[in-house]
């Protein structure tokens, strides 16, 4: 069976029209071949919500005006039922695409003719490439594959709740693996280009905001980075956050997502911020996101976040109060059924008005119309030619491999232990539970991958005489078969250990307690290293950082790789790096702290250090203490050098700009207010910074160039970060090749800091611009 059926529906009159209209709509038949849609061939052009010549806002308002109150309230949950009399099909708002189209939500069904989608590395590893063009292309693939699944009749929604752009503030956070890391500039860039890719926009420049290939949703807004720690859950947690930290750490990625990425969705988080649930915070959702940033889209709650406002947090005294708070704050759809269940009572009690409901429905139906789902059969519209043959293409799978290769970080390589030479490896011992587990490589929020080979399977193709010993049955490693592993290690030419974590150690609803490798992993590693003929190679599969100081210092551990959770092509990528078919260039997107950091309460949201109390601060920007590995750290098989070509053409001295006056803040630092300076002055202050980069060999390689700003007196009480990433770019350089990269530096954006009140200012002084080992002093701000 196939095709569509034509059905006649009577459309009720609008508030200003008394004549009933007959609308002929095409609905999908109950077969996998046809996606759900409305407003098909035969729909009269005088039905505004089906008239593609009208603005989507007017079309959405027309549709909302035709709904009964009961129908309106029914649409406010993530599973919005059909409205048969209007030919409006059901819609499911919750779909996932964190690192590939997934079946973790309700809207995607990879259980029909299409049973897989391209599974990219978990985001934290992709971020380690520091390659925005790669991030954008991944977003593009996800957008295309999402449409392919939808057009094949295996989706009931095109709204994907990704990316996760919360700052990876604490190394124990179970969901840090889902994020681009700890730096707000980098995370904001990831958000913008990933969203643009998913939604079908260009990587930069103007966008057609009324035409979405798929809809991306930035989450979780805001200051959400705790699952369950020391009895505190994400549902009950009240994040005490200063205006300063909100302005320069927690909110910038979301601002970039909206202003630069033009995201069509935002998800408000479970937690409260300074006492107020984020989904009930008008200042956050309506004033900041919509009014200040110009957000154009819909706002969803996290799942059951509305219910917990009453049932867990006690912020709302009744269920009806909770519904009223979120709708009046600006939330549009509730993941869950709470608003659908209690909306009518809230309306009857006068706690909300029908206009509150209409406002939310306007945003929701506008999104569905921007996706083209009210334009007739999607197969005949702009994205209709995207079929199942564009899911899991070889090109997409190659990109998954490229992402894994470019993210892998070489942490240690004493005595050039890597790369291995195939002809010289007669026998290989592969040891570790993470060597032969395809599921572990996916991280979380993943769908069935197109293909998946474990590292062990790939290495067996490289070295015929490969022995495998798991050592432990899982990352917990409560017991270890050390004698068996030692025997295998002693009898092989080379040894590769695959250790680290898995989703039983770090995931949603599970934060870590320790930063060390769990259970008997360290004993297993050291026993194997002592028995091996040559220094062993340690490969770490994990999302969050681990304290591997013991391995860093042990001369019998010759090399270490961090491979995150590398996705469907991770096994191939690891083997290619080990055997020198790819030159590793990844850099850590998070600080790796020592175990001692676990003394810091996860519930302390402060970014800046407080020496008076011993609080060490958070992330490379503010942390004062020892590290295992620094943010941006990573080795290569090549040696690279960086030099500023000349000191950049300096902008006019700020002191000489007419009308621009510095004021002295509480810390005694003279500074310029960025808002008062205005856009024109900020534009005049921009200048180029040109960096000469050379690959001194012996291999070709991809190399991230990271440009930092360093303040020599960051401990003066101003709250400035000691170091701040300004810009970055990933270059591909052949051996001995030299290239120049030009960064546009904007002092208003890159040199400003947040005051205690949350205002952005540029301090007088002489900071340094730093790239690699080279730096120069800037003095024009004095």
């Amino acid at each position: 069976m196939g095709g569509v059926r034509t059905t006649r529906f009577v459309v009720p009159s609008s508030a200003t029209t008394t004549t009933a209209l007959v609308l002929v709509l095409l609905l999908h038949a109950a077969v996998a071949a046809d996606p759900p849609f409305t407003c098909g061939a035969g729909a009269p052009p005088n039905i505004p919500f089906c008239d593609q010549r009208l603005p989507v806002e007017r079309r959405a308002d027309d549709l909302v005006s035709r709904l009964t109150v009961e129908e309106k309230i029914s649409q406010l949950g993530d599973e919005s039922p059909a409205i048969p009399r209007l030919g409006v099909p059901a819609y499911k708002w919750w779909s996932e695409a964190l690192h590939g189209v997934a079946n973790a939500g309700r809207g995607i069904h990879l259980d029909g003719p299409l049973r897989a989608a391209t599974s990219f590395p978990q985001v934290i590893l992709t971020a380690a490439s520091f390659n925005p063009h790669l991030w954008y292309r991944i977003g593009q693939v996800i957008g295309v594959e999402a449409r392919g699944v939808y057009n094949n009749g295996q989706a009931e929604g095109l709204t994907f709740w990704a990316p996760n752009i919360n700052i990876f503030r604490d190394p124990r956070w179970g969901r840090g693996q889902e994020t681009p890391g700890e730096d707000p500039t980098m995370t904001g860039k990831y958000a913008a280009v990933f969203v643009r890719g998913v939604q079908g926009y260009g990587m930069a420049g103007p966008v057609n905001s009324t035409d979405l290939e798929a809809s991306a949703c930035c989450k979780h807004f805001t200051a959400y980075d705790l699952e369950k720690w020391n009895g505190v859950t994400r549902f009950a947690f009240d994040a005490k956050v200063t205006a300063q930290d909100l302005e320069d750490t927690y909110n910038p990625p979301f601002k970039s997502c909206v202003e630069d990425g033009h995201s069509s969705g935002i998800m408000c988080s479970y937690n409260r911020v300074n006492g107020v649930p984020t989904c009930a915070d008008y200042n956050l959702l309506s004033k900041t996101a919509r009014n200040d940033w110009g957000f154009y889209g819909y706002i969803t709650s996290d799942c059951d976040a509305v219910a917990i406002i009453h049932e867990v947090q006690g912020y709302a005294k009744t269920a009806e109060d909770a519904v009223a708070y979120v709708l009046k704050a600006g939330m549009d759809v509730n993941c869950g059924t709470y608003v659908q269940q209690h909306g009518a009572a809230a309306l009857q009690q006068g706690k909300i008005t029908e206009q509150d409901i209409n406002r939310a429905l306007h945003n929701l139906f506008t999104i569905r119309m921007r996706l083209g789902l009210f334009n007739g059969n999607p197969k005949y519209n702009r994205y209709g030619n995207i079929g199942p043959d564009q899911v899991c293409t070889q090109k997409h799978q190659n990109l998954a491999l490229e992402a894994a290769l470019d993210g892998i970080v070489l942490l240690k390589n004493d005595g050039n232990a890597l790369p291995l030479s195939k002809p010289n490896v007669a026998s290989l011992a592969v040891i570790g539970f993470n060597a032969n587990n395809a599921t572990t490589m996916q991280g979380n929020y993943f769908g069935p991958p197109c293909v998946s080979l474990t590292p062990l399977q790939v290495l067996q193709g490289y070295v015929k005489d490969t022995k495998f010993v798991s050592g432990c049955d899982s990352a917990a490693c409560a017991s270890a078969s050390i004698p068996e592993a030692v025997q295998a290690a002693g009898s092989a030419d080379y040894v590769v250990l695959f250790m680290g974590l898995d989703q039983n150690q770090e995931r949603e609803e599970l934060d870590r307690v320790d930063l060390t490798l769990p259970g008997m992993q360290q004993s297993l590693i050291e026993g194997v290293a002592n028995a091996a003929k040559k220094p062993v190679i340690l490969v770490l599969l994990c999302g969050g950082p681990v304290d591997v100081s013991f391995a860093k210092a042990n001369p019998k551990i010759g090399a270490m790789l961090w491979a995150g959770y590398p996705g469907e092509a991770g096994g191939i990528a690891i083997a290619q790096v080990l055997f020198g078919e790819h030159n590793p260039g990844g850099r850590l997107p998070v600080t790796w702290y020592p175990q001692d950091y676990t003394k810091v309460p996860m519930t302390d949201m402060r970014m800046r250090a407080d020496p008076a109390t011993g609080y060490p601060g958070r992330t490379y920007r503010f942390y004062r203490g020892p590290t295992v590995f620094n943010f941006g750290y990573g080795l290569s098989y090549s040696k690279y050098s960086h030099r500023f070509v000349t000191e950049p053409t300096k902008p006019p001295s700020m002191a000489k700009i007419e009308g621009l006056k510095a004021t002295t803040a509480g810390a005694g630092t003279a500074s310029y207010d960025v808002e008062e300076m205005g856009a024109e002055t900020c534009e005049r202050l921009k200048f180029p910074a040109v960096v000469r980069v050379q690959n001194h060999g012996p291999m070709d390689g991809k190399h991230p160039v990271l440009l930092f700003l360093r303040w020599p007196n960051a401990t003066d009480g101003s709250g400035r970060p000691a170091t701040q990433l300004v810009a970055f770019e990933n270059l591909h350089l052949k051996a001995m090749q030299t290239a120049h990269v030009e960064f546009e530096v904007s002092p208003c954006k890159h040199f400003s800091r947040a005051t205690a009140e949350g205002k952005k200012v540029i301090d007088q002084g002489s900071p340094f611009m730093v790239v690699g080992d080279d730096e120069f002093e800037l003095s024009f701000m004095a």
Side-chain angles (χ1 to χ4, degrees):
M1 300 290 291
V4 295
R5 58 186 173 88
T6 302
T7 311
R8 295 172 65 84
F9 295 94
V10 177
V11 181
S13 61
S14 66
T16 59
T17 307
T18 58
T19 305
L21 301 171
V22 177
L23 176 59
V24 180
L25 300 167
L26 289 178
L27 289 178
H28 73 298
V31 294
D34 296 307
F37 65 91
T38 192
C39 298
N46 60 341
I47 301 302
F49 78 75
C50 285
D51 190 346
Q52 298 179 45
R53 296 169 300 179
L54 296 176
V56 292
E57 286 80 7
R58 182 175 167 188
R59 295 174 66 191
D61 285 341
D62 176 74
L63 176 55
V64 172
S65 74
R66 298 175 187 276
L67 302 180
T68 67
V69 170
E70 292 75 17
E71 288 169 339
K72 289 178 179 181
I73 293 172
S74 77
Q75 298 295 302
L76 297 177
D78 69 279
E79 294 188 85
S80 301
I83 307 171
R85 66 186 184 83
L86 297 179
V88 177
Y91 188 84
K92 293 185 177 177
W93 289 91
W94 178 13
S95 295
E96 297 287 354
L98 179 68
H99 52 112
V101 175
N103 52 2
R106 305 193 208 275
I108 298 294
H109 309 294
L110 295 175
D111 55 2
L114 280 173
R115 294 185 171 271
T118 307
S119 185
F120 293 95
Q122 181 61 290
V123 176
I124 193 69
L125 184 70
T126 300
S129 68
F130 284 83
N131 188 344
H133 185 57
L134 173 67
W135 305 338
Y136 172 71
R137 286 184 290 149
I138 291 172
Q140 282 185 305
V141 168
I142 290 172
V144 166
E145 294 201 351
R147 271 290 172 170
V149 174
Y150 191 87
N151 289 345
N152 205 48
Q154 291 182 234
E156 299 172 83
L158 278 167
T159 37
F160 293 87
W161 292 351
N164 180 343
I165 56 169
N166 295 114
I167 294 299
F168 197 169
R169 171 188 63 99
D170 190 289
R172 293 161 287 189
W173 184 32
R175 300 186 74 175
Q177 59 177 295
E178 303 176 27
T179 76
E182 69 182 30
D183 181 76
T185 297
M186 178 183 176
T187 302
K189 184 66 175 180
Y190 179 91
V193 298
F194 178 86
V195 164
R196 280 175 167 264
V198 169
Q199 297 189 166
Y201 302 156
M203 186 171 169
V207 302
N208 179 3
S209 62
T210 61
D211 192 359
L212 294 169
E213 183 172 20
S215 169
C217 174
C218 288
K219 63 185 186 185
H220 312 77
F221 192 41
T222 185
Y224 168 76
D225 49 23
L226 176 148
E227 303 300 304
K228 188 175 183 180
W229 179 84
N230 201 28
V232 179
T233 71
R234 57 183 176 161
F235 308 120
F237 181 47
D238 185 6
K240 302 296 185 183
V241 186
T242 66
Q244 186 177 44
D245 286 339
L246 270 178
E247 178 63 33
D248 74 359
T249 297
Y250 295 109
N251 281 353
F254 291 94
K255 183 178 182 182
S256 179
C257 180
V258 171
E259 292 185 342
D260 302 328
H262 300 272
S263 68
S264 52
I266 289 175
M267 176 186 286
C268 49
S269 55
Y270 288 119
N271 55 288
R272 288 168 287 168
V273 175
N274 299 326
V276 182
T278 64
C279 293
D281 192 337
Y282 176 87
N283 287 329
L284 189 67
L285 305 187
S286 294
K287 184 177 181 300
T288 299
R290 289 200 186 276
N291 297 343
D292 296 347
W293 299 344
F295 174 61
Y296 177 50
Y298 78 102
I299 298 176
T300 179
S301 77
D302 206 336
C303 293
D304 296 321
V306 179
I308 70 169
I309 291 174
H310 168 55
E311 296 176 0
V312 177
Q313 297 171 351
Y315 182 84
K317 292 183 179 179
T318 67
E320 293 77 17
D321 286 335
V323 170
Y325 289 158
V326 297
L327 288 178
K328 289 186 176 296
M331 192 199 80
D332 302 310
V333 66
N334 166 213
C335 180
T337 60
Y338 211 68
V339 175
Q340 291 165 316
Q341 290 174 346
H342 302 287
L347 184 64
Q348 292 164 3
Q349 295 172 20
K351 293 181 177 179
I352 58 172
T353 66
E354 195 167 347
Q355 182 54 39
D356 294 324
I357 298 171
N358 292 346
R359 178 205 55 76
L361 292 176
H362 170 88
N363 293 330
L364 296 177
F365 282 115
T366 297
I367 287 291
R368 292 170 67 175
M369 290 173 179
R370 290 167 64 188
L371 286 163
L373 305 185
F374 282 74
N375 296 344
N377 193 331
K379 288 187 174 181
Y380 305 116
N381 295 330
R382 177 177 176 185
Y383 299 109
N385 63 342
I386 301 175
D389 60 328
Q390 295 191 52
V391 180
C392 283
T393 66
Q394 190 59 54
K395 182 179 179 182
H396 294 175
Q397 294 182 58
N398 291 345
L399 186 63
L401 174 59
E402 180 184 343
L405 287 168
D406 290 358
I408 291 174
V409 180
L410 180 62
L411 297 173
K412 178 181 180 181
N413 197 23
D414 291 354
N416 295 322
L418 289 177
L420 301 175
S421 171
K422 241 189 225 185
N424 294 337
V425 183
S427 60
L428 183 68
V430 175
I431 297 169
F433 54 92
N434 272 340
N436 200 34
N437 190 324
T439 301
T440 295
M441 294 198 303
Q442 305 301 325
N444 65 0
Y445 280 101
F446 64 92
C450 309
V451 294
S452 189
L453 294 172
T454 67
L456 174 63
Q457 291 171 318
V458 179
L459 290 172
Q460 286 171 333
Y462 276 71
V463 181
K464 185 176 181 180
D465 184 5
T466 296
K467 298 176 182 176
F468 171 61
V469 177
S470 65
C472 310
D473 60 358
S474 69
C477 200
S479 62
S481 54
I482 296 178
E484 185 184 1
V486 165
Q487 183 179 6
S491 62
D493 287 342
Y494 289 88
V495 178
V496 183
L497 290 132
F498 287 86
M499 312 301 284
L501 307 174
D502 60 21
Q503 298 305 300
N504 292 317
Q505 303 294 318
E506 53 175 353
R507 68 171 189 276
E508 187 169 3
E509 295 196 82
L510 181 64
D511 292 320
R512 292 156 63 200
V513 176
D514 293 309
L515 297 181
T516 54
L517 291 173
M520 297 183 68
Q521 284 195 48
Q522 181 172 336
S523 298
L524 176 63
I525 294 168
E526 290 176 333
V528 166
N530 288 333
K533 299 175 183 177
K534 298 180 178 68
V536 301
I537 298 152
L538 175 60
V539 179
L540 297 168
L541 269 63
C542 54
V546 287
D547 183 350
V548 286
S549 301
F550 77 95
K552 184 179 177 182
N554 189 338
K556 294 188 177 182
I557 299 172
M560 280 195 291
L561 292 177
W562 173 67
Y565 296 119
E568 69 172 44
I572 300 171
I574 291 168
Q576 288 190 4
V577 170
L578 291 175
F579 282 91
E581 295 169 18
H582 179 82
N583 189 355
R587 300 290 182 268
L588 292 178
V590 289
T591 301
W592 283 33
Y593 301 89
Q595 166 67 7
D596 191 60
Y597 195 83
T598 57
K599 295 177 182 177
V600 178
M602 276 195 77
T603 48
D604 195 325
M605 301 293 290
R606 291 176 296 165
M607 298 304 300
R608 287 156 175 83
D610 182 4
T613 61
Y615 182 69
R618 297 186 180 275
T619 78
Y620 80 97
R621 297 164 66 222
F622 302 107
Y623 173 63
R624 301 180 194 172
T627 63
V628 180
F629 293 111
N630 293 331
F631 172 89
Y633 176 82
L635 304 174
S636 169
Y637 297 152
S638 290
K639 179 176 174 57
Y640 296 91
S641 64
H642 313 79
R643 291 291 179 270
F644 289 104
V645 174
T646 58
E647 288 197 12
T649 303
K650 293 181 180 179
S653 170
M654 295 180 72
K656 295 180 180 179
I657 295 177
E658 186 176 354
L660 190 61
K661 297 186 182 300
T663 59
T664 302
T669 304
S671 58
Y672 301 91
D673 188 299
V674 172
E675 186 176 353
E676 290 180 2
M677 289 166 63
E680 183 178 341
T681 298
C682 286
E683 189 66 28
R684 289 176 62 191
L685 290 173
K686 290 181 179 179
F687 64 91
V690 181
V691 178
R692 178 182 181 272
V693 186
Q694 183 173 359
N695 178 354
H696 296 275
M699 295 176 63
D700 300 353
K702 288 186 177 179
H703 178 66
V705 183
L706 310 183
L707 181 67
F708 290 92
L709 183 76
R710 179 178 70 82
W711 285 93
N713 56 342
T715 60
D716 61 1
S718 65
R720 284 192 298 256
T723 306
Q724 170 66 57
L725 183 67
V726 168
F728 53 94
E729 188 167 323
N730 190 295
L731 301 179
H732 183 275
L733 296 174
K734 295 181 178 180
M736 307 311 296
Q737 182 183 358
T738 298
H740 291 79
V741 56
E742 179 174 315
F743 297 104
E744 181 184 70
V745 180
S746 170
C748 288
K749 179 179 180 181
H750 298 134
F751 296 175
S752 60
R753 66 170 175 89
T755 66
E757 298 75 29
K759 295 184 67 174
K760 298 304 285 286
V761 299
I762 302 176
D763 292 330
Q764 286 189 348
S766 300
F768 291 81
M769 300 214 69
V770 181
V771 61
D773 295 327
D774 196 21
E775 65 177 31
F776 71 86
E777 186 175 5
L778 290 164
S779 57
F780 74 92
M781 291 183 292

